[in-house]
Amino acid sequence: MDTKNYDELYKESIHHPVHFWNRQANHIHWYKFPHQTLVQNANGLYNWFADGELNTCYLALDDHIQKGNGNQTALIYDSPVTKTIKQYSFKDLRNSVAKLAGGLRKLGVEKGDTVVIYMPMIPQAVMAMLACARLGAVHSVVFGGFAPHELALRIDDAKPKVIISASYGIEFDKVLPYKPLLNKALEESTHQPNYCLIYQRHAFMGVGLPEMKPGLDIDFETLIFESEPVDCVPVLATDPLYILYTSGTTGKPKGIVRDNGGHAVAMKFSMDHIYNVRPGEVFWAASDVGWVVGHSYIVYGPLIHGCTTLLYEGKPIKTPDAGAFWRVIESHKVNVMFTAPTAIRAIKKEDPDGHLFKNYNTNSLRQLFLAGERCDPPTYEWIYQLIRKPVIDHWWQTESGWPMLSIMTGIDGSLPKSGSAGRPVCGYNIQILSEEGQELGAGQEGFVAIKLPLPPGTLKTLWKDDDGYKSNYLSTFDGYYISGDGGTKDEDNYFFIMGRIDDVINVSGHRLSTGEMEEIVASHPAIAECAVIGIEDELRGQRPIGLVVLKDGQNIKPQDLETTCCNLVRDKIGAIAYFKTALVVKRLPKTRSGKILRKAMRQLADGKSFVLPSTIDDPLIMDEIKEKMAEAGLLKVNAS
Ligand code: COA
Ligand code: AMP
């Protein structure tokens, strides 16, 4: 840990990044320590620690055993949905992972090969990720809530040699048929893996085991049992550790590539400096391994740092009640926790006076971090009043892989400000820019951009698509990474993230593309055109609604059309999209050049003031939309 304070360290990280990150690199174990701290590759992209060699699985497991901490608990699996609690020491986890890696090697997986992981929140998902890292193979975890179509898109892009999945997952009391969903995805995808490794969960609610296809499907436990453990394979710092797909503005997800070296250094640095947690303490990120938060702070960050991490197969509510989080904190003496504001809103809705909180001893908890979406001030105040511990909203993205704005609680005693996601984290030179790319001052709203180079741990590129990386993120303002969010800052350099400026929305902390939903809805034969916008939702932060224009002469009942559109989105993306509304409208508001005024419609629904461009085709269309939204009960009362 550095002895300097936030201001000193932050300045050093921006003005002397090479010196700063070279020093941080000393905190992890390298097979070959890097001497090229920061270089630009032939494509002009920045690479951290290019000549260093290491293995991420070694850092997460073997290193702790080497240091004599093999018997410490590495992973606690707490599953209220199956009523299971199980602990794995670093040795236990390393032994399973080493054998699984041996099994994967028998199936032909080597350094640089890709493996897709489509699993529920079970320890085998963590083992699968670490086994890939051990071999130097590149994993791509697909969130279990995604429908087969989304899985197929990712399979076709990542082209895995092997897919690792499970018989089923459990949502509250509902069984999700992972293996049949995988089968369906493979019917759609062009690429086919050599093998599917299936973890068969024991019978639950009478659900039997899915059929295994001879020659393709392999039993996960049998493979581990029959395989020899293998050692960690050294990889270059710049070799990819994983691909994680995230929603962009189109139907094609973007494959964010994370390297090994920069990532490991950033993980270690963040555990100390941002989360202020020590090796041996218990860290709990109540997310899912299918999201970036799960990658960084269920799996890699805590394990690399030598913490005990918690894998929770449950929900904030109904498993069995809104006291679930407090029960977990008490049971496992959680020291630092991370969740999404949606989860807090769900708890607040069910237990507004916090009665259940009082039933548990949560004294072990020092601080609570929130991210995934903006934390609205009422939610912030409610949770702070309830737990009476620091609550820190912090901002990051799949692309960054670790926080960009936060209170760095290990080196900064400053208080959070309600509504703000904090100050720039070391390494991130964050600025608010105008449309012309000029830096804006306090109080002025603009594009949230980061001056290059980005620090270690951030995206290296898009999978097999350097040009896509440049055009999506680096071309709007020369020398800057564009985050896709809009926001402001105040005189104390606290930033306020106001939401996406593109067609990406956040539903229950899940990042989704309205552009993709539009493509799906527009595929209905009766629909001439449509717009999908994200409107405010009390529980989920945002939810999508569709506005559709029918082709001439269509005789379809609006109610039937809505049901079909909702089912289309559910089938293609998944239930998590929460697409429940498709309003038939006569026309969509557009500029004379044909650009649909999505932002104005969103502001209309959210009861915010909006300015219609002078180039609007026909201002009366907004009145028609307002009327339709009002009929459907979608207008916030103060809509102008
Ligand atoms: N796998 C499969 N389906 C899932 C899923 C998953 N992991 N997560 C949600 N779904 C399904 C739900 O079962 C539901 O299906 P249904 O329409 O058939 O009932 C649908 O998606 C919508 O779910 P959701 O919007 O999550 O509503 P909910 O009432 O089931 O749960 C919350 C509400 C707030 C409890 C839940 O959204 C939650 O825990 N959110 C926090 C998420 C989070 O931590 N995000 C941060 C990532 S960093
Ligand atoms: P994801 O890539 O799924 O993590 O989503 C990233 C997006 O979520 C960001 O671009 C923001 O729009 C939003 N987001 C995440 N954390 C915050 C936060 N603390 N405050 C505001 N928005 C956030």
Side-chain angles (χ1 to χ4, degrees), residues 297-410:
Y297 295 113
I298 295 176
V299 183
Y300 291 112
L303 292 179
I304 289 174
H305 196 48
C307 287
T308 298
T309 188
L310 231 152
L311 187 76
Y312 175 65
E313 191 183 24
K315 295 276 171 174
I317 52 170
K318 297 189 199 147
T319 50
D321 57 30
F325 277 9
W326 322 131
R327 192 273 300 160
V328 173
I329 292 170
E330 179 185 279
S331 299
H332 308 298
K333 305 212 168 15
V334 173
N335 299 115
V336 177
M337 183 184 176
F338 182 150
T339 189
T342 299
I344 303 299
R345 288 194 293 268
I347 297 171
K348 179 180 165 198
K349 194 163 167 239
E350 305 243 322
D351 183 22
D353 299 321
H355 290 307
L356 293 166
F357 178 78
K358 294 179 194 120
N359 294 344
Y360 298 94
N361 178 348
T362 54
N363 285 343
S364 60
L365 188 72
R366 284 202 301 273
Q367 38 196 15
L368 173 67
F369 285 84
L370 300 175
E373 62 190 300
R374 178 166 184 263
C375 183
D376 50 292
T379 302
Y380 182 90
E381 285 306 324
W382 184 83
I383 188 66
Y384 175 67
Q385 293 303 333
L386 185 71
I387 67 171
R388 290 275 165 192
K389 306 270 169 75
V391 176
I392 295 128
D393 180 11
H394 62 334
W395 173 68
W396 52 305
Q397 309 181 299
T398 308
E399 288 85 344
S400 68
W402 63 293
M404 301 180 281
L405 291 170
S406 185
I407 300 294
M408 299 188 69
T409 61

Side-chain angles (χ1 to χ4, degrees), residues 177-237:
Y178 274 65
K179 172 71 167 80
L181 293 171
L182 168 62
N183 291 348
K184 234 172 137 187
L186 289 176
E187 280 166 25
E188 186 180 327
S189 67
T190 312
H191 175 82
Q192 298 294 309
N194 296 344
Y195 298 102
C196 293
L197 191 56
I198 308 297
Y199 179 74
Q200 299 275 25
R201 300 189 82 175
H202 301 295
F204 175 77
M205 290 173 56
V207 179
L209 297 179
E211 206 181 300
M212 300 284 271
K213 290 187 188 151
L216 176 69
D217 295 334
I218 310 268
D219 181 72
F220 186 100
E221 286 200 303
T222 312
L223 184 78
I224 291 198
F225 182 72
E226 291 174 350
S227 299
E228 293 300 318
V230 295
D231 268 341
C232 296
V233 175
V235 297
L236 277 176

Side-chain angles (χ1 to χ4, degrees), residues 143 145 171-172 174 176 287 293 316 342 508 540 570 575-576:
F143 174 57
E171 266 280 301
F172 299 118
K174 193 167 64 181
L176 302 165
S287 177
V293 174
T342 299
S508 295
R540 294 175 176 80
R570 192 182 170 94
I576 51 158

Side-chain angles (χ1 to χ4, degrees), residues 20 61-62 67 94 145 163 171 198 207 211 251 261 265 309 354 360 365 387 394 401 425 459-460 465 514 544 604 633:
F20 181 87
L61 300 175
D62 305 60
K67 288 177 179 151
R94 193 274 315 266
I163 298 181
E171 266 280 301
I198 308 297
V207 179
E211 206 181 300
V265 171
T309 188
Y360 298 94
L365 188 72
I387 67 171
H394 62 334
V425 162
L459 79 169
K460 185 173 172 250
D465 189 11
T514 54
L604 171 69

Side-chain angles (χ1 to χ4, degrees), residues 433 436-437 449-452 473-481:
L433 299 184
E436 294 73 38
I450 305 168
K451 202 166 184 336
L452 299 175
Y473 297 99
L474 307 179
S475 62
T476 311
F477 303 116
D478 198 26
Y480 287 85
Y481 164 91

